[in-house]
Amino acid sequence: MTTARRGRPGYDLESLLQVAVKLFNERGYDGTSMEDLSRKLGITKSAIYHHVPSKEELLRLSVDRALDGLFEVAASTEQLDGRAIDRLEHLVRGSVLVLADRLPFVTLLLRVRGNTKVERSALARRREFDRLVTDLVKQAEAEGDVRPDIDPAVAARLLFGTVNSLIEWYRPRRGSSGAELADAVCKMAFDGLRA
Amino acid sequence: MTTARRGRPGYDLESLLQVAVKLFNERGYDGTSMEDLSRKLGITKSAIYHHVPSKEELLRLSVDRALDGLFEVAASTEQLDGRAIDRLEHLVRGSVLVLADRLPFVTLLLRVRGNTKVERSALARRREFDRLVTDLVKQAEAEGDVRPDIDPAVAARLLFGTVNSLIEWYRPRRGSSGAELADAVCKMAFDGLRA
């Protein structure tokens, strides 16, 4: 079995994870076996198990890469002073940057359905994040900075619906940056498309 | 085999389609067999084949239910006079109403990946619809009604990203109407959340 490794570059955990998340996104987590991953990497399954104990651990590391990014933005948002609407905009902008920077990981996170312990835990963290967003919208509305004619829970869902929908079409390219994308999202969501 | 039908309500094509689209959304189109569908319906496979010649035909009928709704809105939009921004808002509002009214069908449409002829044809119609949206945004920008600091193609994607993201959380309930939802989407997208 070691012949499969001959002449191939070695993998560290990071490069293994990059390949795993790509495969999970293409075939679904349930539809991807360690056998598939070993074939894709051109290394043996035991070489993979040298880095991670299980497929579920690869899933955990992948969704945590996305969730940790989002919660770092949430933590930096909570450090800010000032009005809730500005903190909300900071949170939206930062979330788009995380999505653009960690696209395959965020894509996987958003497709998680809750069949395993890792998935259920990821869904729980997503709900926690969503509560932060809803709380900020409510606070901004209480401060008179968000229009009162949209339900704050609906506004929060629309906001992050817009952000999350980026995984369907955004592909990083030279000449287009996550910052421009974040700008466009914030312009539309906070001030509207209308001139 | 006919015993399975005893005491069960008969199915017409419409009720069969309602069950099929639900199953396709739960298990994926590829993951659903006619056997699964027959078990779910409590009728034989030949009873299903009495209504439709194939699983792919059920898929075609399902995605057409969504696409026909969207293209009816597009056609009514093209009948309108007046400024492009108002026609664009009409198109967005109408699309949300179609989504709310035909939620399982639109959900299936948006998950189609293009593995079969029916799926590829659905994707082609989606692209045609997207072009209509982008053209309207460009026209509205040329008329000075859309802010010039967002690329029209990006604006079009953000708009329909927001609309399409509704399938992730919107569930019709008594007391909440598609019209309210469409209002909220248009308020945010065209005028922004900021008070």
Side-chain angles (χ1 to χ4, degrees):
Chain A
M1 293 287 272
T2 51
T3 53
R5 295 165 77 181
R6 214 175 268 158
R8 295 190 185 268
Y11 284 97
D12 57 11
L13 179 58
E14 180 57 32
S15 50
L16 199 156
L17 200 59
Q18 297 281 348
V19 175
V21 72
K22 191 164 177 286
L23 216 55
F24 292 160
N25 282 328
E26 282 168 12
R27 305 185 186 181
Y29 172 70
D30 293 329
T32 307
S33 66
M34 288 298 252
E35 186 66 39
D36 296 330
L37 187 56
S38 116
R39 252 197 307 271
K40 186 77 174 187
L41 290 161
I43 62 177
T44 62
K45 280 203 277 182
S46 48
I48 301 177
Y49 287 121
H50 174 73
H51 291 290
V52 280
S54 63
K55 187 175 85 154
E56 198 168 6
E57 178 65 9
L58 283 171
L59 178 67
R60 194 185 65 76
L61 291 168
S62 299
V63 296
D64 278 356
R65 179 72 55 94
L67 285 163
D68 291 349
L70 293 171
F71 275 92
E72 280 162 28
V73 174
S76 79
T77 300
E78 285 179 343
Q79 297 296 313
L80 293 178
D81 293 321
R83 304 186 75 85
I85 187 112
D86 297 326
R87 281 178 281 141
L88 182 63
E89 190 164 340
H90 178 269
L91 185 62
V92 170
R93 186 176 303 274
S95 299
V96 175
L97 292 175
V98 168
L99 180 145
D101 186 50
R102 305 182 187 189
L103 187 57
F105 299 100
V106 176
T107 300
L108 185 65
L109 173 68
L110 295 178
R111 290 183 184 159
V112 150
R113 284 293 167 262
N115 298 321
T116 63
K117 200 177 163 188
V118 166
E119 289 171 271
R120 284 190 294 275
S121 150
L123 286 177
R125 289 186 76 193
R126 276 193 66 190
R127 281 193 296 273
E128 188 188 339
F129 188 86
D130 290 346
R131 272 195 299 274
L132 291 174
V133 179
T134 309
D135 287 348
L136 266 181
V137 176
K138 281 184 185 161
Q139 212 181 319
E141 191 167 318
E143 290 173 6
D145 291 330
V146 161
R147 49 192 306 158
D149 57 352
I150 300 183
D151 178 78
V154 171
R157 284 180 182 280
L158 290 180
L159 262 181
F160 272 79
T162 307
V163 172
N164 295 343
S165 73
L166 300 175
I167 64 164
E168 301 293 339
W169 63 271
Y170 177 70
R171 299 295 171 264
R173 280 177 313 181
R174 251 170 281 181
S176 89
S177 74
E180 283 171 50
L181 184 68
D183 257 359
V185 170
C186 287
K187 280 175 187 165
M188 181 182 89
F190 289 96
D191 298 310
L193 287 178
R194 213 182 295 273
Chain B
M1 291 289 273
T2 50
T3 53
R5 294 164 78 179
R6 215 175 270 158
R8 295 189 185 271
Y11 285 97
D12 56 12
L13 180 58
E14 180 56 31
S15 51
L16 197 155
L17 201 59
Q18 297 281 349
V19 175
V21 72
K22 190 163 177 287
L23 217 55
F24 292 160
N25 281 328
E26 281 167 15
R27 307 186 185 180
Y29 173 69
D30 293 329
T32 307
S33 66
M34 288 297 253
E35 186 66 39
D36 296 332
L37 187 56
S38 116
R39 251 197 307 270
K40 187 78 176 186
L41 290 161
I43 62 177
T44 60
K45 279 202 277 181
S46 47
I48 301 177
Y49 287 120
H50 174 72
H51 292 290
V52 280
S54 63
K55 186 175 86 155
E56 197 167 5
E57 179 64 10
L58 283 170
L59 179 66
R60 193 185 66 76
L61 291 168
S62 299
V63 296
D64 277 358
R65 179 72 53 95
L67 285 163
D68 291 348
L70 293 171
F71 275 92
E72 280 161 29
V73 175
S76 79
T77 300
E78 286 178 344
Q79 297 297 315
L80 293 177
D81 294 319
R83 306 186 74 85
I85 186 111
D86 297 326
R87 282 180 280 140
L88 182 63
E89 191 164 339
H90 179 270
L91 185 62
V92 169
R93 186 176 303 275
S95 299
V96 175
L97 293 175
V98 168
L99 180 143
D101 187 50
R102 306 182 186 188
L103 187 57
F105 299 100
V106 176
T107 300
L108 185 64
L109 173 68
L110 295 178
R111 289 183 183 159
V112 150
R113 283 294 168 263
N115 297 322
T116 63
K117 199 176 162 190
V118 166
E119 289 171 271
R120 284 190 295 276
S121 150
L123 286 178
R125 288 186 78 193
R126 277 194 65 190
R127 280 192 297 274
E128 188 188 338
F129 188 85
D130 290 347
R131 271 193 300 274
L132 291 174
V133 179
T134 309
D135 287 349
L136 267 181
V137 176
K138 280 184 185 160
Q139 212 181 320
E141 191 167 319
E143 291 173 5
D145 291 330
V146 161
R147 51 191 306 158
D149 57 352
I150 300 183
D151 178 77
V154 171
R157 283 179 182 281
L158 290 179
L159 263 180
F160 272 80
T162 307
V163 173
N164 295 343
S165 73
L166 299 175
I167 64 164
E168 302 294 339
W169 62 270
Y170 175 70
R171 298 295 171 266
R173 279 177 313 180
R174 251 171 281 182
S176 90
S177 72
E180 282 171 50
L181 186 67
D183 257 359
V185 170
C186 287
K187 279 175 187 166
M188 182 182 89
F190 289 95
D191 298 310
L193 287 178
R194 212 181 297 273

